């Protein structure tokens, strides 16, 4: 069991130090500077496979020390929380071990590469929970103020009964057939392609905003470019079964599209792709309810559009709300109205919510059970794409 | 057989004089004023069921005379073309009779309420074609300059190989459960709901722009509000089986969503609804290709957004093109750059294209065969919704 | 004196048949088809300098006959109204003669090329008024529904006390130094450049929307390109003092910028230019009041943005109102919500308002006195540019 | 003279710890984590008037110690750089003393409250410069990537010769007449109102982007609300000559508007206001050149709009460039494309540029001379408002 640290500190070990490691580090460094946290997080140790690179990263990112063996790190007495920023194929092993060792866990999304692994993780989290140990999955986009505010408006009934959910996560980084192969295009390592990498986010976000669950899906996975050149720098590191100058097969989806039904009767349309030329990180969500609508696009992340259908026709219209007022979620800690936040602020808010939950002894959301449910939706999309039939999501 | 009129005139009879009749009349009146037409259309006779209302409409809309019996009108020697603006359940009968009588036909969309009717019409058009008689279905949105320009850009290869088609037709006029029943909500009269009324447009438009065909679909129809109050003024006229103060069942779809595959390998996501609160007539189409992307929204109809993926990253971005230059389709006939067109201009362009095709002895597009193919896509969506399986579109 | 025609008709003679003539003709043809007019306008005679071209234009634009001598036309017994669509240097002569002959007059803007001429015209209008003869100046942009609605909102107090007026009329058609010379760049013919041609519109529109008057200005006129090539086709027609291959001096302003004070205490910033590369016909108006704000851009003419400062901060935002509801000015006559109007609809609405005023015996706005006041503002801007001092506008 | 620290560190003392102090602290903390700095800044001491509040701020913001007497702090041997975040009326005294003591200085904008003070500061900076001591004024908006990229495009000739500059800085925080009085509304403390507080930014930004200078202005200052209630909590602290329940006079401008001429022949229109209801921090800049245009709005800060007038009309349009590519200024250090930055990133970039300049022995821009020139433009606007005449800016 993990006692809440007597001295009011929370010692963090982070595993992995690539893109997500940089974002999480910025969050651990920044959260205490802008928010009054009930516990003081200390950036104790960063863990990476290569000793030299881990040490350099620890220094640059602000961690007190570095290590290479995550197994020994997670059992250290002076570690209270394990922050997992590795690729998805190692999440289950690390998270289960950390939870069983009595450490709180923050695990990057997707929770795992398979439903089976995600189930093990959810079970481990449930076991740990009885001992006061907390587990959270890192769907950080929930913490963009405009998204958190959207959920609040739905909860307040501002758009009435939800009827349509329209969600797209559009990128274009491999739209060029000559873009090189990488581990993200290899099913062994990545689990899936656009579906798990970015489709997972819009499944989570739409369920989060509507507080509703997807019950059935009909989907289609597509791989537009089936072979890609192996880049020199990647031929070893990426584990790709090929050498520079050769090509390697793409074994994951380039894009995933699916229809969905929600418990509350809404119908959803989802699309995740790495081939939407010109869209860089366009998370676009529109929700139409009986009393109004909401629209969001991450490429303009400080804005939420709200339509109030109860207004007279004459003056009704989508309002462009700058979600930068002190009354908006998370915003009071930052800047005056109109001074927008950026991508990494969601990670800082995640730290705030996690630390607060740990201190208060409550479950931080999204839980591993929430992450498992997202995984089940993704698995159903894949099955549906194979069987050409709608698939139900197990409750 | 219909000889091209010696005097260079084209005598038109229009059947129906509601919303579409007003739009078509404005087009017949206006086309010769802005375009050099190879034939001079004369607005000869307007046909409606009620003599008094037909006469009043003829006077207001600019038709030389009025009539009540379409059967006698379409056989008149002094009629060259029949313009059908009635509800879908009468299209087949009128169109087939007119074509068989040797009259050119312009028929409002959807071509018919059923595939069987549409097949009869396409066959009649094919028979008539041999005799130089032309048939065209009124998918007017093709003639919005930005849409016609989008097709041109795709044809020129400006966006490369098409990978994603994303199309929505969003309205909200019955989002309120208290909105009254009408014939459009009655399957007998209307054939289908959002699917045929507005979904038909985005099926046609996306195939038109991409010059590609939908081969398979998986869809879902939804009826959110299953009973609606019968309005006093409609209880007789609308044929609704109910009286004011009672409710009548809604027997068509409120919304239709579907996935689609295109012959060229693209994957499509479609949505047509009358429940998207705040969206009034939002025909939104985005197409992502290997070399670029296009985006359009009818609520800003004079604009086309174009992304060129071959530009350097640094300066690449979606261009907001005002489609009001004299080099854009149809625009040279109108106003200087920046002076936008409106909804009814598409109808005027339709008259221009139809009259030109008749004079030149070529087939005006979209043909009845095109209309039939759209109908088959819609039917496949319905079947798919029932069977929960993907459906192929017969070639 | 002009008796309201006993037969309920209003015979119109139009002088000039270029760009404005085409727009006015479309309006005269269309207004009775969509609106219930209290008088029935007849398009009697079109007058142009060249007999052949006038006859061709009359035929194409729908006028019963053509003529070449405006002096004889305006005294014909069978003419009730003279519609003046010629360049500004002939407005005064034609309008005064027509009014003195007892004909109603619709005169294109700007009212005249000089304040002195505008004064004569306003005096003639005042004399004629006593005899029931009406005069109106054609600031048609007032009749764009979003603009008329903006005025209504201000009048209802929806934005409180007006504090800021921000208005731009941006075009780019001569941004290229090689664009050829034309009569519009010749002070003799055009009076002024961007200032009178397009600046006049934003002076009128902002005063119309706010119901307030400009009292003082400080301005600057600029001519960026001082010589332009004489185009072959223009060397005679345009009266340019040069031949093809030569250049001719630009004697008007390319751009005009000015500050303004309004009677109500608001401060204004105005800009009119033909050198704003990429802006085609961008009439952009933003008005900030103590209780809210309005924003409009003609390049998206069916939209008005409204901010309500009395809302809670949390949900306050600029609303994008589609001004296409039947409750919006002029819209009920046209199409369903979301089916936008275009540039020429403002001219149709102008006909409606003018014919209604004539039938009702009231003054159609804007009157010649209104046109004169705009002229005085423009003249003050010019004087200010010369003197480098603020200038007051005579009341 | 200040030797570049042998150990490669740069010890920073910050004076002031309100809004700007928080932003600067985040920058000092963050810059070394994302950028390779040639010197390692250490956050040595934070200085504030109240010992308790300064100590608390130091702890929260990450400074090693706190102090209350800036005079003793700036002469400490272990301080290399003084970062001035106090109100404008103390800038001159602190900055001159620090420079004379051989410390590098970063001074928040506006450089000073008067031209006389700014001149003293520029002279001190010039003296210090000879000794290798650097001085920089904090116009951080220059370091928003989209702004820095705009300047680069102008420098590359992408928009040709600049003809129009259109700049607005719009806020609304005192649009309500009941908003309480504060020191920012008191000429003694603040120097000026909207003009110096926010107008200064758009003067700097437009000169920065165009690399051109303002030579003449004609302006108007306005105070819409001349008395405001004294808030209980401010009656002492703010120095306002009144007590809670009373009102105090507003002695600065609520809004400033002015026309400007640039050395290169461009004409500018500027507007700074705290009364633009609905605009929260809208820094809007549009620049029209002979070959293209640029447009920016800080409320959508990761976007730059670019129009290329050399493209064919058919496909020309304003491009919405997401300035989040690794090739854009400052961006490579942060996140992948489409993952936007926020307000405070400009401060981090400022630290990067300042530290780099110090290490390289070059002058960081904007220099105090640049800040003085901005001050002179503002002073000329004020004079012009009084004299009603255009004013030249001394070179």
């Amino acid at each position: 069991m993990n006692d809440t640290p007597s001295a009011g500190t929370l010692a963090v070990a982070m595993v992995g130090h690539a893109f997500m490691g940089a974002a999480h580090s910025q969050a651990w460094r920044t959260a205490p500077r802008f928010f009054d946290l009930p516990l003081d997080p200390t950036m104790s140790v960063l863990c990476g496979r290569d000793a030299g690179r881990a040490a350099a990263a620890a220094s640059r990112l602000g961690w007190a020390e570095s290590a290479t063996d995550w197994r020994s790190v997670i059992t250290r007495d002076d570690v209270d929380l394990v922050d997992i920023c590795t690729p998805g194929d190692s999440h289950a092993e690390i998270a289960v071990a950390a939870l069983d060792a009595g450490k709180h866990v923050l695990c990057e999304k997707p929770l795992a590469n398979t439903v089976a692994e995600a189930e093990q993780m959810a079970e481990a989290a449930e076991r740990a929970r009885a001992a006061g140990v907390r587990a959270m999955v890192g769907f950080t986009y929930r913490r963009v103020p405009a998204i958190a505010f959207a959920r609040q408006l739905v909860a307040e009934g501002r758009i009435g009964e939800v009827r349509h959910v329209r969600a797209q996560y559009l990128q274009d980084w491999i739209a060029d057939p000559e873009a090189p192969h990488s581990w993200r295009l290899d099913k062994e390592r990545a689990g899936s392609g656009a579906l798990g990498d970015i489709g997972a986010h819009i499944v989570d976000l739409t369920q989060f905003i509507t507080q509703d669950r997807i019950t059935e899906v009909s989907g289609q996975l597509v791989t537009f470019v089936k072979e890609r050149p192996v880049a020199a720098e990647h031929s070893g590191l990426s584990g790709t079964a090929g050498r520079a100058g050769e090509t390697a097969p793409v074994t994951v989806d380039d894009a995933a599209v699916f229809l969905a039904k929600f418990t509350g009767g809404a119908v959803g349309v989802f699309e995740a792709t790495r081939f939407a030329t010109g869209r860089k990180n366009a998370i676009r969500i529109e929700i139409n309810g009986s009393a109004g609508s909401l629209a969001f696009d991450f490429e303009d992340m400080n804005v939420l559009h709200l339509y109030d259908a109860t207004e007279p026709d004459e003056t009704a219209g989508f309002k462009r709300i700058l979600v930068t007022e002190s009354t908006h979620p998370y915003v009071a800690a930052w800047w005056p109205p109109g001074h927008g936040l950026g991508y990494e602020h969601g990670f800082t808010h995640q730290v705030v919510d996690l630390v607060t939950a740990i201190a208060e002894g409550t479950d931080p959301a999204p839980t591993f059970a929430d992450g498992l449910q997202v995984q089940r939706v993704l698995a159903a999309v894949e099955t549906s794409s194979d069987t050409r039939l709608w698939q139900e999501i197990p409750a």
Side-chain angles (χ1 to χ4, degrees), chain A residues 157-365:
Chain A
R158 299 290 290 260
I159 66 165
E161 195 177 322
V162 175
R163 282 156 173 174
H164 286 287
V165 173
R166 197 170 297 117
Q168 298 142 27
Y169 198 141
L170 309 178
Q171 298 184 334
D172 71 355
W173 56 281
I174 52 171
D176 181 352
E178 295 307 310
H181 204 284
S182 84
W183 70 265
R184 286 183 181 275
L185 307 182
D186 177 4
K187 193 169 176 63
E188 291 293 309
R189 298 291 308 282
S192 71
L195 180 64
D197 184 23
I198 55 179
H201 278 299
I202 49 177
V203 169
D204 180 66
L205 288 175
T206 54
Q207 294 189 138
F208 172 70
I209 294 172
T210 62
Q211 280 300 281
D212 205 348
R213 289 276 162 132
I214 293 174
T215 58
E216 290 182 83
V217 294
S218 170
Q220 179 70 41
L221 305 192
V222 194
T223 305
F224 295 111
V225 175
K226 295 184 173 56
E227 297 272 333
R228 286 186 179 273
V230 177
E233 71 269 33
H234 283 157
S235 55
L237 269 181
S238 70
T240 299
R243 280 174 297 190
E246 298 181 347
T247 63
V250 174
T251 50
V252 299
D253 55 290
D254 286 335
V257 299
F258 55 101
L259 309 178
K261 297 184 197 170
F262 285 77
T263 38
V267 60
V269 177
F270 290 79
E271 196 170 1
T273 180
R274 295 161 169 173
F275 276 69
T277 20
R279 305 301 180 192
K280 301 304 173 182
N281 203 49
I283 305 173
R284 302 198 291 200
I285 296 174
E286 180 167 333
I287 298 176
N288 306 125
S290 56
S293 290
L294 290 170
F296 172 81
D297 184 342
F298 187 77
E299 289 188 356
D300 194 10
M301 66 171 277
N302 292 291
V303 167
L304 183 69
H305 298 271
L306 171 64
Y307 182 84
D308 179 352
T310 68
E311 279 198 82
D313 284 349
E314 200 175 63
T315 53
F318 274 86
K319 265 187 295 192
R320 180 180 175 272
I321 302 172
L322 268 180
V323 188
T324 58
E325 298 291 322
S326 61
T327 50
H328 289 134
Y330 306 108
V331 175
W334 298 100
W335 315 113
H339 297 68
L341 303 186
Y343 166 68
E344 75 258 35
H345 291 77
F347 292 87
T348 298
H349 303 159
Q350 178 171 266
V351 160
V352 172
D353 290 344
L354 173 58
V355 171
T356 303
I358 290 171
E360 293 180 349
T362 58
D363 279 327

Side-chain angles (χ1 to χ4, degrees), chain A residues 1-183:
Chain A
M1 174 187 158
N2 186 293
D3 289 304
T4 298
S6 57
T9 63
L10 182 78
V12 180
M14 185 172 82
V15 190
H17 51 76
F19 172 19
M20 277 303 108
H24 283 232
S25 298
Q26 170 75 347
W28 288 114
R29 283 194 309 265
T30 303
R33 304 301 179 189
F34 287 87
F35 293 83
D36 288 324
L37 299 183
L39 290 171
D40 188 23
T42 55
M43 297 171 69
S44 299
V45 54
L46 177 152
C47 191
R49 279 184 295 185
D50 180 86
R53 293 173 61 236
S59 168
R60 191 180 70 251
L61 299 174
W63 297 85
E65 51 178 301
S66 66
T68 58
D69 177 16
W70 63 262
R71 286 172 211 278
S72 61
V73 165
I74 64 166
T75 53
R76 280 168 52 163
D77 283 349
D78 63 350
V79 164
D80 300 310
L81 184 148
V82 177
D83 182 358
I84 305 173
C85 292
T86 57
D89 58 349
S90 58
H91 285 185
E93 191 176 12
I94 304 174
V96 172
L99 288 167
D100 285 351
K103 310 302 184 191
H104 306 298
V105 170
L106 169 61
C107 181
E108 252 311 306
K109 54 58 58 184
L111 189 57
N113 278 2
T114 67
V115 169
E117 285 176 339
E119 283 171 342
Q120 291 167 27
M121 295 169 78
E123 284 159 19
E126 193 56 32
R127 284 195 304 273
R129 188 173 178 269
V133 173
R134 308 293 160 189
M136 184 192 204
V137 57
F139 285 114
T140 32
Y141 286 115
R142 287 185 174 205
R143 271 95 187 173
V144 171
I147 292 284
F149 184 51
R151 175 188 160 103
Q152 178 186 322
L153 291 170
V154 173
E156 291 170 7
R158 299 290 290 260
I159 66 165
E161 195 177 322
V162 175
R163 282 156 173 174
H164 286 287
V165 173
R166 197 170 297 117
Q168 298 142 27
Y169 198 141
L170 309 178
Q171 298 184 334
D172 71 355
W173 56 281
I174 52 171
D176 181 352
E178 295 307 310
H181 204 284
S182 84
W183 70 265

Side-chain angles (χ1 to χ4, degrees), chain A residues 367-385:
Chain A
T367 64
F368 277 18
D370 294 328
L372 167 60
Q373 190 267 351
V374 170
Q375 215 68 28
R376 285 182 171 143
V377 172
L378 303 182
V381 171
E382 278 201 75
T383 305
S384 160
S385 182

